[in-house]
Amino acid sequence: MTEPRNESNDKGGEEEDDRGGSDEEPDQPQAPLAPQHLKTNEHKPQAMVGTTTETHFLQLTLDITEKPLFRDEDGGLVIPQEPLVNVLKKFDGVSFSDALAQNGEAQMKRYQLLKLPPYLILHLARFKSNRYSREKNPTIVAFPVKNFDLSDYVHIPGGREKPPTEAEVRAMNVKDLKALLARHGQDALAKNVVEKSELVEATVDFVVKSLPDLLAEKYNLVANITHDSPSDVGREGKHDPLQEGSYKCHVQHKATGQWYLMQDLHVEETMPQLIGLSESYLLIFERQIAGS
């Protein structure tokens, strides 16, 4: 694994942050570098100086827009909603975010994803603290459970790989066919194949049915950690949301596809349609593999 590459046109520059865009939370212990890359462009408005840093991340921290709470006709609070694609604009490679440097200087940062890992962890930053209180943003972030396509957020140097056509596959020799399958983790398709014609058909089937989705950076949800609390807790200094709330977890049983809701020793079945209605705190996605 290559070390992170830092490109800078000034002597300053922030230390690496494996949380990928988390500017307000306390430092956490560093873990081994994971095989995903993030490029950060920093701009200081006063001097108009820019710095580019390429580094690794373990999770991406997403900021949720603060929205006012309204009451319905019966007096109940209406919790606002925000699509996950809107929250992810922070990492679209175009949008700038306000941030503070370690010396307190105002900065504007732009994040660009260069590579995504097999498992993607998204942290929804719901809590904000000051010297007097801790507040929670109860906004519901709506997200897909399957086929979450992140292709538009990944900027691959040199451009995205295009799958070969059926004609190009049929024109390959045995060595090239096996190399194509191995490059995408499909070595098993070439095992116990004697005739070249069988290998060609197996490769064509993979290229036509599975490879486009693999190259499209599609993910499926495998776990969702939530923090539930009364909607008025943590607003305007009312109580501490971490003291009043509770954590729950949605986990999918991969063999059956069934989703479960777990809290301590309590486990019950749930429907995937209900997962997106919770106050998600940590989302764990798995990259789609062939046949998933």
Side-chain angles (χ1 to χ4, degrees):
M1 182 181 302
T2 59
E3 291 295 322
R5 176 168 55 90
N6 296 324
E7 299 176 356
S8 173
N9 56 5
D10 67 1
K11 295 183 180 179
E14 296 188 347
E15 297 180 356
E16 297 165 14
D17 187 345
D18 62 9
R19 293 168 291 164
S22 176
D23 301 315
E24 299 180 355
E25 300 184 15
D27 292 337
Q28 299 175 0
Q30 294 289 329
L33 293 177
Q36 53 263 20
H37 297 76
L38 174 71
K39 184 164 71 174
T40 306
N41 296 321
E42 301 174 359
H43 293 270
K44 300 176 182 178
Q46 297 89 342
M48 296 302 290
V49 176
T51 301
T52 299
T53 303
E54 185 175 327
T55 185
H56 300 266
F57 67 90
L58 295 178
Q59 67 182 33
L60 298 179
T61 297
L62 307 179
D63 304 314
I64 308 174
T65 304
E66 287 278 358
K67 293 186 175 182
L69 299 179
F70 298 98
R71 295 192 179 275
D72 57 22
E73 296 178 353
D74 299 324
L77 287 174
V78 178
I79 305 300
Q81 296 191 22
E82 185 80 8
L84 181 58
V85 291
N86 289 354
V87 182
L88 269 171
K89 286 182 179 180
K90 178 178 182 179
F91 295 97
D92 61 7
V94 179
S95 305
F96 281 92
S97 303
D98 294 328
L100 289 177
Q102 292 181 340
N103 60 4
E105 219 178 301
Q107 289 184 333
M108 296 185 68
K109 288 188 176 183
R110 180 172 60 186
Y111 300 96
Q112 191 175 76
L113 299 172
L114 303 180
K115 185 178 179 181
L116 293 178
Y119 289 88
L120 178 65
I121 302 175
L122 301 181
H123 166 223
L124 301 176
R126 292 192 174 276
F127 301 99
K128 290 185 178 181
S129 301
N130 55 43
R131 67 178 64 183
Y132 302 109
S133 65
R134 181 184 288 114
E135 296 183 355
K136 176 185 176 182
N137 185 340
T139 300
I140 301 297
V141 177
F143 54 86
V145 175
K146 292 181 67 82
N147 298 317
F148 181 31
D149 193 350
L150 288 163
S151 302
D152 293 338
Y153 298 91
V154 182
H155 304 266
I156 301 176
R160 184 175 300 278
E161 177 185 354
K162 294 183 179 180
T165 64
E166 181 176 345
E168 290 172 337
V169 173
R170 294 189 181 280
M172 293 180 181
N173 56 38
V174 173
K175 181 179 179 181
D176 291 338
L177 290 170
K178 290 184 177 180
L180 174 62
L181 293 175
R183 189 163 67 250
H184 297 287
Q186 302 299 313
D187 310 68
L189 295 178
K191 291 182 178 179
N192 303 320
V193 175
V194 179
E195 299 293 334
K196 178 185 176 181
S197 58
E198 297 179 19
L199 182 59
V200 169
E201 293 305 321
T203 307
V204 167
D205 187 67
F206 165 70
V207 168
V208 172
K209 294 181 179 179
S210 302
L211 186 55
D213 283 342
L214 292 179
L215 297 178
E217 308 281 0
K218 287 188 177 181
Y219 284 77
N220 295 332
L221 187 74
V222 293
N224 172 46
I225 300 174
T226 72
H227 181 271
D228 296 332
S229 61
S231 55
D232 61 335
V233 171
R235 307 288 289 194
E236 300 176 355
K238 294 182 180 179
H239 308 289
D240 186 336
L242 291 180
Q243 296 295 327
E244 298 289 336
S246 61
Y247 288 95
K248 298 179 181 179
C249 183
H250 297 98
V251 177
Q252 184 188 40
H253 186 267
K254 294 194 69 173
T256 62
Q258 176 64 52
W259 280 92
Y260 292 91
L261 174 63
M262 301 188 299
Q263 183 180 19
D264 298 328
L265 298 179
H266 179 73
V267 180
E268 63 180 26
E269 293 185 356
T270 187
M271 296 185 295
Q273 296 90 334
L274 299 178
I275 298 175
L277 301 179
S278 57
E279 296 179 48
S280 299
Y281 181 65
L282 206 66
L283 300 170
I284 304 176
F285 289 92
E286 180 184 25
R287 183 192 294 272
Q288 286 188 357
I289 59 176
S292 65

Coordinates of all heavy atoms in Angstrom, one line a residue, residues 146-233:
K146 N -30.6 -0.9 -0.8 CA -29.9 -1.7 -1.9 C -29.6 -0.8 -3.1 O -30.2 0.2 -3.3 CB -30.8 -2.9 -2.4 CG -30.9 -4.0 -1.3 CD -31.8 -5.1 -1.9 CE -31.0 -5.9 -3.0 NZ -30.1 -6.9 -2.5
N147 N -28.6 -1.2 -3.8 CA -28.2 -0.5 -5.1 C -27.9 1.0 -4.9 O -28.3 1.8 -5.6 CB -29.3 -0.7 -6.1 CG -29.5 -2.1 -6.5 OD1 -28.5 -2.9 -6.7 ND2 -30.7 -2.5 -6.6
F148 N -27.2 1.3 -3.8 CA -26.8 2.7 -3.5 C -25.6 3.0 -4.4 O -24.5 2.5 -4.2 CB -26.4 2.8 -2.0 CG -26.0 4.2 -1.6 CD1 -26.5 5.3 -2.3 CD2 -25.1 4.4 -0.6 CE1 -26.1 6.6 -1.9 CE2 -24.7 5.7 -0.2 CZ -25.2 6.8 -0.9
D149 N -25.8 3.8 -5.5 CA -24.8 4.1 -6.5 C -24.0 5.3 -6.2 O -24.5 6.4 -6.1 CB -25.5 4.2 -7.9 CG -24.5 4.2 -9.0 OD1 -23.3 4.2 -8.8 OD2 -24.9 4.1 -10.2
L150 N -22.7 5.1 -6.0 CA -21.8 6.2 -5.6 C -20.9 6.6 -6.8 O -19.9 7.3 -6.5 CB -21.0 5.9 -4.4 CG -21.8 5.8 -3.1 CD1 -21.0 5.1 -2.0 CD2 -22.1 7.2 -2.6
S151 N -21.2 6.2 -8.0 CA -20.3 6.4 -9.1 C -20.0 7.9 -9.3 O -18.9 8.3 -9.7 CB -20.9 5.8 -10.4 OG -21.2 4.5 -10.2
D152 N -21.0 8.8 -9.1 CA -20.9 10.2 -9.3 C -20.0 10.9 -8.3 O -19.6 12.0 -8.5 CB -22.2 10.9 -9.3 CG -23.1 10.5 -10.5 OD1 -22.6 10.0 -11.5 OD2 -24.3 10.6 -10.4
Y153 N -19.7 10.2 -7.2 CA -18.8 10.8 -6.2 C -17.4 10.3 -6.2 O -16.6 10.8 -5.4 CB -19.4 10.4 -4.8 CG -20.8 11.0 -4.6 CD1 -21.9 10.2 -4.9 CD2 -21.0 12.3 -4.1 CE1 -23.2 10.7 -4.7 CE2 -22.3 12.8 -3.9 CZ -23.4 12.0 -4.2 OH -24.7 12.5 -4.1
V154 N -17.1 9.4 -7.1 CA -15.7 8.9 -7.2 C -15.0 9.4 -8.4 O -15.5 9.2 -9.5 CB -15.7 7.3 -7.2 CG1 -14.3 6.8 -7.2 CG2 -16.5 6.8 -6.0
H155 N -13.9 10.1 -8.2 CA -13.2 10.7 -9.3 C -11.9 9.9 -9.5 O -10.9 10.1 -8.8 CB -12.9 12.2 -9.0 CG -14.1 13.0 -8.7 ND1 -14.7 13.7 -9.7 CD2 -14.8 13.1 -7.6 CE1 -15.8 14.3 -9.2 NE2 -15.8 14.0 -7.9
I156 N -11.9 8.9 -10.4 CA -10.8 8.0 -10.6 C -9.8 8.7 -11.5 O -10.1 9.1 -12.6 CB -11.3 6.7 -11.2 CG1 -12.3 6.0 -10.3 CG2 -10.1 5.7 -11.5 CD1 -12.9 4.8 -10.8
P157 N -8.5 8.8 -11.0 CA -7.5 9.3 -11.9 C -7.4 8.5 -13.2 O -7.3 7.3 -13.2 CB -6.2 9.2 -11.1 CG -6.7 9.1 -9.7 CD -8.0 8.4 -9.7
G158 N -7.4 9.2 -14.3 CA -7.3 8.6 -15.6 C -8.7 8.1 -16.2 O -8.7 7.6 -17.3
G159 N -9.7 8.3 -15.4 CA -11.1 7.9 -15.9 C -11.5 6.5 -15.4 O -10.7 5.7 -15.0
R160 N -12.8 6.3 -15.4 CA -13.3 5.0 -15.0 C -13.2 3.9 -16.0 O -13.3 4.2 -17.2 CB -14.8 5.2 -14.7 CG -15.5 3.9 -14.1 CD -17.0 4.2 -13.7 NE -17.0 5.3 -12.7 CZ -16.8 5.1 -11.4 NH1 -16.6 3.8 -11.0 NH2 -16.9 6.1 -10.6
E161 N -12.9 2.7 -15.6 CA -12.7 1.6 -16.5 C -14.0 1.3 -17.2 O -15.1 1.2 -16.5 CB -12.2 0.4 -15.7 CG -12.0 -0.9 -16.6 CD -11.7 -2.1 -15.8 OE1 -11.4 -1.9 -14.5 OE2 -11.6 -3.2 -16.3
K162 N -14.0 1.0 -18.5 CA -15.1 0.6 -19.2 C -15.1 -0.9 -19.5 O -14.0 -1.4 -19.9 CB -15.2 1.4 -20.6 CG -15.4 2.9 -20.4 CD -15.6 3.5 -21.8 CE -15.8 5.0 -21.6 NZ -15.9 5.7 -22.9
P163 N -16.2 -1.6 -19.3 CA -16.2 -3.1 -19.5 C -16.0 -3.4 -21.0 O -16.5 -2.6 -21.8 CB -17.6 -3.5 -19.0 CG -18.4 -2.3 -19.1 CD -17.5 -1.1 -18.8
P164 N -15.3 -4.4 -21.3 CA -15.1 -4.8 -22.7 C -16.5 -5.3 -23.3 O -17.4 -5.7 -22.6 CB -14.1 -5.9 -22.7 CG -14.3 -6.5 -21.3 CD -14.6 -5.4 -20.4
T165 N -16.6 -5.1 -24.6 CA -17.8 -5.6 -25.3 C -17.7 -7.1 -25.5 O -16.7 -7.7 -25.3 CB -17.9 -4.9 -26.7 OG1 -16.8 -5.4 -27.5 CG2 -17.9 -3.4 -26.6
E166 N -18.9 -7.7 -25.8 CA -18.9 -9.1 -26.0 C -18.0 -9.6 -27.1 O -17.3 -10.6 -27.0 CB -20.4 -9.6 -26.3 CG -20.5 -11.1 -26.5 CD -21.9 -11.5 -26.7 OE1 -22.8 -10.7 -26.4 OE2 -22.1 -12.6 -27.2
A167 N -17.9 -8.8 -28.2 CA -17.0 -9.1 -29.3 C -15.6 -9.1 -28.8 O -14.8 -9.9 -29.3 CB -17.2 -8.1 -30.4
E168 N -15.2 -8.1 -28.0 CA -13.8 -8.0 -27.5 C -13.5 -9.2 -26.6 O -12.3 -9.7 -26.7 CB -13.6 -6.7 -26.8 CG -13.6 -5.5 -27.7 CD -13.6 -4.2 -26.9 OE1 -14.0 -4.2 -25.7 OE2 -13.2 -3.1 -27.4
V169 N -14.4 -9.7 -25.8 CA -14.2 -10.8 -25.0 C -14.0 -12.1 -25.8 O -13.1 -12.9 -25.6 CB -15.3 -11.0 -24.0 CG1 -15.2 -12.3 -23.2 CG2 -15.4 -9.8 -23.0
R170 N -14.8 -12.3 -26.8 CA -14.7 -13.5 -27.6 C -13.4 -13.5 -28.5 O -12.9 -14.5 -28.9 CB -15.9 -13.6 -28.6 CG -17.2 -13.8 -27.8 CD -18.4 -14.1 -28.8 NE -19.6 -14.3 -28.0 CZ -19.9 -15.4 -27.4 NH1 -19.1 -16.4 -27.4 NH2 -21.1 -15.5 -26.7
A171 N -12.8 -12.3 -28.7 CA -11.5 -12.3 -29.4 C -10.3 -12.5 -28.5 O -9.2 -12.6 -29.0 CB -11.4 -10.9 -30.1
M172 N -10.5 -12.5 -27.2 CA -9.4 -12.7 -26.3 C -8.8 -14.1 -26.3 O -9.6 -15.1 -26.5 CB -9.8 -12.3 -24.8 CG -10.1 -10.9 -24.6 SD -10.6 -10.5 -22.9 CE -10.9 -8.8 -22.9
N173 N -7.5 -14.3 -25.9 CA -7.0 -15.6 -25.8 C -7.2 -16.1 -24.3 O -7.7 -15.3 -23.5 CB -5.5 -15.6 -26.1 CG -4.7 -14.6 -25.3 OD1 -5.0 -14.4 -24.1 ND2 -3.7 -14.0 -25.9
V174 N -6.8 -17.3 -24.0 CA -7.1 -17.8 -22.7 C -6.4 -17.0 -21.6 O -7.0 -16.8 -20.5 CB -6.6 -19.3 -22.6 CG1 -6.8 -19.9 -21.2 CG2 -7.5 -20.2 -23.6
K175 N -5.2 -16.6 -21.8 CA -4.5 -15.8 -20.8 C -5.2 -14.5 -20.5 O -5.3 -14.1 -19.3 CB -3.0 -15.6 -21.3 CG -2.2 -14.8 -20.3 CD -0.8 -14.6 -20.9 CE 0.1 -13.7 -19.9 NZ 1.4 -13.5 -20.4
D176 N -5.6 -13.8 -21.5 CA -6.3 -12.5 -21.3 C -7.7 -12.7 -20.6 O -8.1 -11.9 -19.8 CB -6.5 -11.8 -22.6 CG -5.2 -11.3 -23.2 OD1 -4.2 -11.2 -22.4 OD2 -5.1 -11.1 -24.4
L177 N -8.4 -13.8 -20.9 CA -9.6 -14.1 -20.3 C -9.5 -14.3 -18.8 O -10.2 -13.8 -18.0 CB -10.3 -15.3 -20.9 CG -10.8 -15.2 -22.4 CD1 -11.2 -16.5 -23.0 CD2 -12.0 -14.2 -22.4
K178 N -8.4 -15.2 -18.4 CA -8.2 -15.4 -17.0 C -7.7 -14.2 -16.3 O -8.1 -13.9 -15.1 CB -7.2 -16.5 -16.9 CG -7.7 -17.9 -17.3 CD -6.6 -19.0 -17.1 CE -7.1 -20.4 -17.4 NZ -6.1 -21.4 -17.2
A179 N -7.0 -13.3 -17.0 CA -6.5 -12.1 -16.4 C -7.7 -11.2 -16.1 O -7.7 -10.5 -15.1 CB -5.5 -11.4 -17.3
L180 N -8.6 -11.1 -17.0 CA -9.8 -10.2 -16.8 C -10.6 -10.7 -15.6 O -11.1 -9.9 -14.8 CB -10.7 -10.3 -18.1 CG -12.0 -9.5 -18.0 CD1 -11.8 -8.1 -17.8 CD2 -12.8 -9.8 -19.3
L181 N -10.8 -12.0 -15.5 CA -11.6 -12.5 -14.4 C -10.9 -12.3 -13.1 O -11.5 -11.9 -12.1 CB -11.9 -14.0 -14.6 CG -12.8 -14.4 -15.8 CD1 -12.9 -15.9 -15.9 CD2 -14.2 -13.8 -15.6
A182 N -9.5 -12.5 -13.1 CA -8.8 -12.4 -11.8 C -8.7 -10.9 -11.4 O -8.8 -10.6 -10.2 CB -7.3 -12.8 -12.1
R183 N -8.7 -10.0 -12.3 CA -8.7 -8.5 -12.0 C -9.9 -8.1 -11.2 O -9.9 -7.2 -10.4 CB -8.5 -7.7 -13.2 CG -8.3 -6.2 -13.0 CD -7.7 -5.5 -14.2 NE -8.6 -5.4 -15.2 CZ -8.5 -6.0 -16.4 NH1 -7.5 -6.9 -16.6 NH2 -9.5 -5.9 -17.4
H184 N -11.0 -8.8 -11.4 CA -12.3 -8.5 -10.8 C -12.7 -9.5 -9.7 O -13.9 -9.6 -9.4 CB -13.4 -8.3 -11.8 CG -13.1 -7.2 -12.8 ND1 -13.2 -5.8 -12.4 CD2 -12.7 -7.2 -14.1 CE1 -12.9 -5.1 -13.4 NE2 -12.6 -5.8 -14.4
G185 N -11.7 -10.3 -9.3 CA -12.0 -11.3 -8.2 C -12.8 -12.5 -8.6 O -13.5 -13.0 -7.7
Q186 N -12.8 -12.9 -9.9 CA -13.7 -13.9 -10.3 C -12.8 -15.1 -10.8 O -13.2 -15.8 -11.8 CB -14.6 -13.5 -11.5 CG -15.5 -12.3 -11.1 CD -16.4 -12.6 -10.0 OE1 -17.0 -13.7 -10.0 NE2 -16.5 -11.7 -9.0
D187 N -11.7 -15.4 -10.1 CA -10.9 -16.5 -10.5 C -11.6 -17.9 -10.5 O -11.3 -18.8 -11.3 CB -9.7 -16.6 -9.6 CG -9.0 -15.3 -9.4 OD1 -9.6 -14.4 -8.8 OD2 -7.8 -15.2 -9.8
A188 N -12.6 -18.0 -9.7 CA -13.3 -19.3 -9.5 C -14.0 -19.7 -10.8 O -14.2 -20.9 -11.1 CB -14.3 -19.2 -8.4
L189 N -14.4 -18.7 -11.7 CA -15.0 -19.0 -12.9 C -14.1 -19.8 -13.9 O -14.6 -20.4 -14.8 CB -15.6 -17.7 -13.6 CG -16.7 -17.0 -12.8 CD1 -17.0 -15.7 -13.6 CD2 -17.9 -17.9 -12.6
A190 N -12.8 -19.6 -13.7 CA -11.9 -20.2 -14.6 C -11.4 -21.6 -14.2 O -10.7 -22.3 -14.9 CB -10.7 -19.3 -14.9
K191 N -11.8 -22.0 -12.9 CA -11.3 -23.3 -12.4 C -12.1 -24.4 -13.0 O -13.3 -24.3 -13.3 CB -11.5 -23.3 -10.9 CG -10.5 -22.4 -10.1 CD -10.7 -22.5 -8.6 CE -9.7 -21.6 -7.9 NZ -9.8 -21.7 -6.4
N192 N -11.5 -25.5 -13.2 CA -12.1 -26.7 -13.8 C -12.7 -26.5 -15.1 O -13.6 -27.3 -15.6 CB -13.2 -27.2 -12.8 CG -12.6 -27.5 -11.4 OD1 -11.5 -28.0 -11.3 ND2 -13.4 -27.2 -10.4
V193 N -12.3 -25.5 -15.9 CA -12.7 -25.3 -17.2 C -11.6 -25.8 -18.2 O -10.5 -25.4 -18.1 CB -12.9 -23.8 -17.5 CG1 -13.2 -23.6 -19.0 CG2 -14.1 -23.2 -16.6
V194 N -12.0 -26.7 -19.0 CA -11.1 -27.4 -19.9 C -11.0 -26.7 -21.3 O -10.0 -26.4 -21.8 CB -11.4 -28.9 -20.1 CG1 -10.4 -29.6 -21.0 CG2 -11.4 -29.6 -18.7
E195 N -12.2 -26.5 -21.9 CA -12.3 -26.0 -23.2 C -12.3 -24.4 -23.2 O -12.9 -23.8 -22.3 CB -13.6 -26.5 -23.9 CG -13.6 -28.0 -24.1 CD -12.6 -28.5 -25.1 OE1 -12.1 -27.7 -25.9 OE2 -12.2 -29.7 -24.9
K196 N -11.6 -23.8 -24.2 CA -11.6 -22.4 -24.2 C -13.0 -21.8 -24.4 O -13.4 -20.8 -23.9 CB -10.7 -21.9 -25.4 CG -10.7 -20.4 -25.6 CD -9.9 -19.9 -26.8 CE -10.1 -18.4 -26.9 NZ -9.3 -17.9 -28.1
S197 N -13.9 -22.6 -25.2 CA -15.2 -22.1 -25.5 C -16.0 -21.9 -24.2 O -16.8 -21.0 -24.0 CB -15.9 -23.1 -26.4 OG -16.0 -24.4 -25.8
E198 N -15.8 -22.9 -23.2 CA -16.5 -22.7 -21.9 C -16.0 -21.5 -21.1 O -16.8 -20.8 -20.5 CB -16.2 -24.0 -21.1 CG -16.8 -25.3 -21.7 CD -16.5 -26.5 -20.8 OE1 -16.2 -26.3 -19.6 OE2 -16.5 -27.6 -21.3
L199 N -14.7 -21.3 -21.2 CA -14.2 -20.1 -20.5 C -14.7 -18.8 -21.1 O -15.0 -17.8 -20.4 CB -12.6 -20.1 -20.6 CG -11.9 -19.0 -19.9 CD1 -12.2 -18.9 -18.4 CD2 -10.4 -19.1 -20.1
V200 N -14.8 -18.8 -22.5 CA -15.3 -17.6 -23.1 C -16.8 -17.3 -22.7 O -17.1 -16.2 -22.4 CB -15.2 -17.8 -24.7 CG1 -16.0 -16.7 -25.4 CG2 -13.8 -17.8 -25.1
E201 N -17.6 -18.4 -22.7 CA -19.0 -18.2 -22.3 C -19.1 -17.7 -20.9 O -20.0 -16.9 -20.6 CB -19.8 -19.5 -22.5 CG -19.9 -19.9 -24.0 CD -20.5 -18.8 -24.9 OE1 -21.4 -18.1 -24.4 OE2 -20.0 -18.6 -26.0
A202 N -18.3 -18.3 -20.0 CA -18.4 -17.9 -18.6 C -18.0 -16.4 -18.4 O -18.6 -15.6 -17.7 CB -17.5 -18.8 -17.7
T203 N -16.9 -16.0 -19.2 CA -16.5 -14.6 -19.1 C -17.5 -13.7 -19.7 O -17.7 -12.6 -19.2 CB -15.1 -14.5 -19.8 OG1 -14.2 -15.4 -19.3 CG2 -14.5 -13.1 -19.6
V204 N -18.1 -14.0 -20.8 CA -19.1 -13.2 -21.5 C -20.3 -13.0 -20.5 O -20.8 -11.9 -20.4 CB -19.6 -13.8 -22.8 CG1 -20.8 -13.1 -23.3 CG2 -18.5 -13.7 -23.8
D205 N -20.7 -14.1 -19.9 CA -21.8 -14.0 -18.9 C -21.5 -13.0 -17.8 O -22.3 -12.2 -17.4 CB -22.1 -15.4 -18.4 CG -23.4 -15.4 -17.5 OD1 -24.5 -15.2 -18.1 OD2 -23.3 -15.6 -16.3
F206 N -20.3 -13.1 -17.3 CA -19.8 -12.2 -16.2 C -19.8 -10.7 -16.6 O -20.3 -9.8 -16.0 CB -18.5 -12.6 -15.6 CG -17.8 -11.6 -14.8 CD1 -18.3 -11.3 -13.5 CD2 -16.7 -10.9 -15.3 CE1 -17.7 -10.3 -12.8 CE2 -16.1 -10.0 -14.5 CZ -16.6 -9.6 -13.2
V207 N -19.2 -10.5 -17.8 CA -19.0 -9.2 -18.3 C -20.4 -8.5 -18.6 O -20.6 -7.3 -18.4 CB -18.1 -9.2 -19.6 CG1 -18.2 -7.8 -20.3 CG2 -16.7 -9.5 -19.2
V208 N -21.3 -9.3 -19.1 CA -22.6 -8.7 -19.5 C -23.5 -8.5 -18.3 O -24.2 -7.5 -18.2 CB -23.3 -9.6 -20.5 CG1 -24.7 -9.2 -20.8 CG2 -22.5 -9.6 -21.9
K209 N -23.5 -9.5 -17.4 CA -24.5 -9.4 -16.3 C -24.0 -8.7 -15.0 O -24.8 -8.1 -14.3 CB -25.0 -10.9 -15.9 CG -25.7 -11.5 -17.1 CD -26.2 -12.9 -16.6 CE -27.0 -13.6 -17.7 NZ -27.4 -15.0 -17.3
S210 N -22.7 -8.9 -14.7 CA -22.3 -8.5 -13.4 C -21.3 -7.3 -13.4 O -21.3 -6.4 -12.5 CB -21.6 -9.7 -12.7 OG -22.5 -10.7 -12.5
L211 N -20.4 -7.3 -14.4 CA -19.3 -6.3 -14.4 C -19.8 -4.9 -14.4 O -19.2 -4.0 -13.7 CB -18.3 -6.6 -15.6 CG -17.1 -5.7 -15.6 CD1 -16.3 -5.8 -14.3 CD2 -16.2 -6.1 -16.8
P212 N -20.8 -4.5 -15.2 CA -21.2 -3.1 -15.2 C -21.6 -2.6 -13.8 O -21.3 -1.5 -13.4 CB -22.4 -3.1 -16.1 CG -22.2 -4.2 -17.1 CD -21.5 -5.3 -16.2
D213 N -22.3 -3.4 -13.0 CA -22.7 -3.0 -11.6 C -21.5 -2.9 -10.7 O -21.4 -2.0 -9.9 CB -23.7 -4.0 -11.0 CG -25.1 -3.9 -11.6 OD1 -25.3 -2.8 -12.2 OD2 -25.9 -4.8 -11.5
L214 N -20.5 -3.8 -10.9 CA -19.3 -3.7 -10.1 C -18.5 -2.4 -10.4 O -18.0 -1.8 -9.5 CB -18.4 -4.9 -10.4 CG -18.9 -6.3 -9.9 CD1 -17.9 -7.4 -10.3 CD2 -19.2 -6.3 -8.4
L215 N -18.4 -2.0 -11.6 CA -17.7 -0.8 -12.0 C -18.5 0.4 -11.6 O -17.9 1.5 -11.6 CB -17.4 -0.8 -13.5 CG -16.5 -1.9 -13.9 CD1 -16.2 -1.9 -15.4 CD2 -15.1 -1.9 -13.2
A216 N -19.8 0.3 -11.3 CA -20.6 1.4 -11.0 C -20.6 1.9 -9.6 O -21.3 2.8 -9.2 CB -22.1 1.1 -11.4
E217 N -19.8 1.2 -8.7 CA -19.6 1.6 -7.3 C -20.9 1.5 -6.6 O -21.4 2.4 -5.9 CB -19.1 3.0 -7.2 CG -17.8 3.3 -7.9 CD -16.5 2.8 -7.3 OE1 -16.7 2.2 -6.2 OE2 -15.5 3.0 -7.8
K218 N -21.6 0.3 -6.7 CA -22.9 0.1 -6.0 C -22.7 -0.6 -4.7 O -21.9 -1.5 -4.6 CB -23.9 -0.6 -6.9 CG -24.4 0.2 -8.1 CD -25.5 -0.5 -8.8 CE -26.1 0.3 -9.9 NZ -27.2 -0.4 -10.7
Y219 N -23.5 -0.2 -3.7 CA -23.4 -0.7 -2.4 C -24.8 -1.1 -1.8 O -25.8 -0.6 -2.2 CB -22.8 0.3 -1.4 CG -21.3 0.5 -1.6 CD1 -20.8 1.3 -2.6 CD2 -20.4 0.0 -0.7 CE1 -19.4 1.4 -2.8 CE2 -19.0 0.1 -0.8 CZ -18.5 0.9 -1.8 OH -17.2 1.0 -2.0
N220 N -24.7 -2.1 -0.9 CA -25.9 -2.5 -0.2 C -25.7 -2.3 1.3 O -24.6 -2.5 1.8 CB -26.2 -4.0 -0.4 CG -26.6 -4.3 -1.9 OD1 -27.1 -3.4 -2.6 ND2 -26.3 -5.5 -2.4
L221 N -26.7 -1.9 2.0 CA -26.6 -1.7 3.4 C -26.6 -3.0 4.2 O -27.3 -4.0 3.8 CB -27.9 -0.9 3.9 CG -27.9 -0.5 5.4 CD1 -26.9 0.7 5.6 CD2 -29.3 -0.1 5.9
V222 N -25.7 -3.1 5.1 CA -25.6 -4.4 5.9 C -25.8 -4.1 7.4 O -26.2 -5.0 8.2 CB -24.2 -5.0 5.8 CG1 -24.0 -5.5 4.3 CG2 -23.1 -4.1 6.1
A223 N -25.7 -2.8 7.9 CA -26.0 -2.5 9.3 C -26.3 -1.0 9.4 O -25.8 -0.2 8.6 CB -24.8 -2.9 10.1
N224 N -27.1 -0.7 10.4 CA -27.5 0.7 10.6 C -27.6 0.9 12.1 O -28.4 0.3 12.8 CB -28.8 1.0 9.9 CG -29.4 2.3 10.3 OD1 -28.7 3.3 10.3 ND2 -30.7 2.4 10.6
I225 N -26.8 1.7 12.7 CA -26.8 2.0 14.1 C -27.6 3.4 14.3 O -27.3 4.3 13.6 CB -25.4 2.2 14.7 CG1 -24.7 0.8 14.5 CG2 -25.5 2.5 16.2 CD1 -23.2 0.9 15.0
T226 N -28.6 3.3 15.2 CA -29.4 4.5 15.4 C -29.3 5.0 16.8 O -28.9 4.3 17.7 CB -30.9 4.2 15.1 OG1 -31.4 3.3 16.2 CG2 -31.0 3.5 13.8
H227 N -29.6 6.3 17.0 CA -29.8 6.9 18.4 C -31.1 7.5 18.5 O -31.4 8.4 17.8 CB -28.7 7.9 18.6 CG -28.7 8.5 20.0 ND1 -29.5 9.6 20.3 CD2 -28.1 8.1 21.1 CE1 -29.4 9.9 21.5 NE2 -28.5 9.0 22.1
D228 N -32.0 6.9 19.3 CA -33.4 7.3 19.4 C -33.5 8.1 20.7 O -33.0 7.8 21.8 CB -34.3 6.1 19.5 CG -34.3 5.3 18.2 OD1 -34.1 6.0 17.1 OD2 -34.5 4.1 18.2
S229 N -34.2 9.2 20.6 CA -34.5 10.1 21.8 C -35.7 10.9 21.5 O -36.0 11.1 20.3 CB -33.3 11.0 22.1 OG -33.0 11.8 21.1
P230 N -36.4 11.4 22.5 CA -37.6 12.3 22.2 C -37.1 13.5 21.4 O -36.0 14.0 21.6 CB -38.0 12.7 23.6 CG -37.6 11.6 24.5 CD -36.3 11.1 23.9
S231 N -37.9 13.9 20.5 CA -37.5 15.0 19.5 C -37.2 16.3 20.2 O -36.4 17.1 19.6 CB -38.6 15.2 18.5 OG -39.9 15.5 19.1
D232 N -37.7 16.6 21.4 CA -37.5 17.8 22.0 C -36.2 17.8 22.8 O -35.7 18.8 23.3 CB -38.6 18.3 22.9 CG -38.9 17.3 24.0 OD1 -38.6 16.1 23.8 OD2 -39.5 17.7 25.0
V233 N -35.7 16.6 23.1 CA -34.5 16.5 23.9 C -33.3 16.9 23.0 O -33.1 16.5 21.9 CB -34.3 15.0 24.4 CG1 -32.9 14.9 25.0 CG2 -35.3 14.6 25.3

